[in-house]
Amino acid sequence: MLAELPPYRALLVVDTKGFGSNPDTTQAAVSAAIPDVLAQAFERAGLREVWDTALFPHGTGDGYGLGFDPRFLPAVVSRFFDELQDVLAERDARLRAAARSVRLRMRASLNVGPVLEPAAGTTSAAAIGSAVITTHRLLDAAPVRAVLERSDPDQTFLAVALSQRVFEDVLASEYATLPATKVVPADVAIKEYRGTVYLYVPNPSGDLLRHGAGDYAEELATAKATIEPVPAPGSTTNVISGTQNGTAIQVGHVHGNLNHG
């Protein structure tokens, strides 16, 4: 008997930057704040139903994961992440008022695919399957982490990784109101996963404004390699051929005035 394909589910996973560097008491406060800020963001985005009917919701200590009906994907892409950026900014201000070293900045990964859901009555809340693994791989990818490293911590509180499937089915197909031109593709190679992630930053700042959210370092190195090097002082060579009238002067370093005539 052939196995049946599991149901398609949308998958959202988030984690917080620098969680492990906080003391135990701070970790507890940040961990407790994570589901609260997610619930507020869904509420403000008009997507309370997604949160209330979440599939296999589970905390990870420094993050949170859940599944939901894929029909909500266009609304989540279009509205949820912008609201989450605002909620994180507000909560970060409250946390830092209590302890200046505390930050609440997040990475979020959104994917869709077949998911083996936990059996009814089991204690495990986490689902399994390659789609789930990919969602976590994208969250940990270097280009996603770099967004928060290269941005102003007082302005950019969220970096979003959209999977190839979400990009094609939701953005490129124009089901979402978020234009496809507002996301940046980046190659990802982490553990066994190879593919493309699409970065979305609701509020870019800092180095992201100067160089963009992609992997500009490699592009910059390539561009520099195409520029002809300027000869170092003392290595200039001039060649004069044929019959010349007048005076030719070749100068390396000059101190004082140079007069001819």
Side-chain angles (χ1 to χ4, degrees), residues 33 36-37 40 87-96 104:
D36 189 41
V37 298
Q40 285 190 42
V87 173
L88 285 171
E90 295 169 8
R91 185 58 62 91
D92 181 82
R94 288 165 52 186
L95 288 172
R96 284 175 61 75
L104 185 55

Side-chain angles (χ1 to χ4, degrees), residues 224-258:
K224 286 182 176 180
T226 63
I227 301 175
E228 294 184 4
V230 178
S235 62
T236 302
T237 301
N238 292 329
V239 178
I240 302 174
S241 60
T243 301
Q244 304 293 328
N245 295 319
T247 302
I249 300 175
Q250 177 173 307
V251 179
H253 295 277
V254 177
H255 301 278
N257 297 323
L258 175 65

Side-chain angles (χ1 to χ4, degrees), residues 9 30-31 59 71-72 79 82 91 93 97 99 105-106 114 116 133 189 201 203-204 213-214 231 248 257 260:
R9 303 299 187 195
V30 172
S31 182
R71 67 189 175 93
F72 290 111
R79 304 197 301 265
D82 288 343
R91 185 58 62 91
R105 305 174 76 206
M106 283 186 177
L116 290 167
I133 294 172
V201 186
N203 188 38
N257 297 323
H260 171 68

Side-chain angles (χ1 to χ4, degrees), residues 76-201:
V76 170
V77 170
S78 300
R79 304 197 301 265
F80 171 72
F81 295 117
D82 288 343
E83 294 294 344
L84 182 56
Q85 157 71 27
D86 291 342
V87 173
L88 285 171
E90 295 169 8
R91 185 58 62 91
D92 181 82
R94 288 165 52 186
L95 288 172
R96 284 175 61 75
R100 295 299 297 168
S101 63
V102 179
R103 286 287 186 188
L104 185 55
R105 305 174 76 206
M106 283 186 177
R107 292 181 296 268
S109 178
L110 186 66
N111 192 19
V112 63
V115 175
L116 290 167
E117 300 182 19
T122 60
T123 57
S124 174
I128 59 174
S130 60
V132 178
I133 294 172
T134 296
T135 308
H136 286 272
R137 293 288 182 262
L138 295 181
L139 191 69
D140 290 331
V144 186
R145 290 181 173 274
V147 168
L148 296 184
E149 294 291 344
R150 295 167 47 206
S151 56
D152 183 347
D154 291 327
Q155 299 296 326
T156 301
F157 293 93
L158 179 64
V160 181
L162 304 177
S163 71
Q164 179 83 40
R165 186 64 183 271
V166 169
F167 175 80
E168 292 176 353
D169 292 355
V170 182
L171 279 85
S173 300
E174 298 185 351
Y175 282 102
T177 56
L178 179 71
T181 53
K182 281 200 169 187
V183 301
V184 179
D187 293 333
V188 169
I190 179 169
K191 295 188 178 179
E192 78 287 344
Y193 180 78
R194 300 291 185 277
T196 301
V197 64
Y198 290 83
L199 303 173
Y200 175 57
V201 186

